[in-house]
Amino acid sequence: MRFLLDTEQRAFAASLDAMLSSADTPAVVRAWASGDHGPGRAVWSRLADAGVFALAAPEAYEGVGPLPVGIAVAFVELGRHAVPGPLAETVAGAALLAALGAEGPAERLLPAIVSGKSMTTLVLPGGGPFALDGDAADLQLTVRGTGAAVELRASSRAAAGPVGLPRTSLDPARRLALPRSGGERLAGGPRVADAAARALDWARLATAAQALGVGQALLDRTVGHVRRRTQFGVPIGSFQAVKHRLADARIALEFARPLLFGAALSMTPADVAAAKVTACEAAWTTARSALQLHGAIGYTAEYDLSLWLTKARALRTAWGTPAECRAEVLRGLSGAGPRS
């Protein structure tokens, strides 16, 4: 089966590429990693104006979706340009609120998320003890508990104040903070559990798309490097061993692409998990090849390649480790029912 983007989707991707190319995202990433969120918020506002966050929200809440394929298209470009911030978390948070329906808090919170005024981070059961970019997010959505005791709480940065010192991460631009305690109780019960499961699928889809974009950027940069770098009077890209490493990376990324867009069409947990593990493993394979073929310069934090290398490693385990995603795929193949 072939998954080809239509003219409108290709134009959307090209417009995001052009916008982000002019934004000097390496400088934005480094500022974000140091705690300066100003340049990142400027990019965030431009993404909102381009309609990226509206893709995850229904029209009833000022969105244009939900459009998972559109999210996949957009997040590939966000990954290619290493855009920082709680991107997948904002989209997943929007999906969670939308899944709660008219009786939930969607009408009050979603318009600000769609417009980019409310940068959102999300904490789900089993997702780890930290909130991604909790020091920058305007809104933190937290799902706690199990069974009938599960509940959704919201905590705003304005009401709760600043969080503690962010923790170090594999990717310096992915800042981890302990979740804010307390907050307003928005909803509870089985419908919150169902909405959280849906949000996890959206987070995994967005992460898979980001990883695919990261892998593409690493491959493009490495191809350019091996064409310029010479040994024994010839470009190292002419060596057969180098060609084979790059060909393997290209095949892995191209194999992940139809899984990503197939998952965006079906949005079943097993399909999304398959796309997530395949795209993230392809990006990680490409990152290792990129590091080896760049040599010593690839290890330096000052070299822009490092911004994508660290992100490929971090995305590999974000919103589900490879083992967790493979287990989800097996559950889908065996007909064992949804994850508990």
Side-chain angles (χ1 to χ4, degrees), residues 65 78 93 128 175 181 215 227:
L78 300 182
R175 296 162 61 85
S181 60
R227 285 174 174 170

Side-chain angles (χ1 to χ4, degrees), residues 204 277 281 316-317 320-331:
R204 285 180 173 176
V277 69
E281 293 297 84
R316 187 170 182 252
T317 54
T321 65
E324 290 169 340
C325 289
R326 290 187 178 104
E328 185 69 71
V329 174
L330 289 175
R331 275 193 292 271

Side-chain angles (χ1 to χ4, degrees), residues 104-117:
E107 186 174 359
R108 175 159 58 95
L109 298 178
L110 266 178
I113 294 175
V114 168
S115 68
K117 296 177 181 177

Side-chain angles (χ1 to χ4, degrees), residues 78 139 180 289 335:
L78 300 182
L139 176 67
R180 303 181 186 115
S289 296

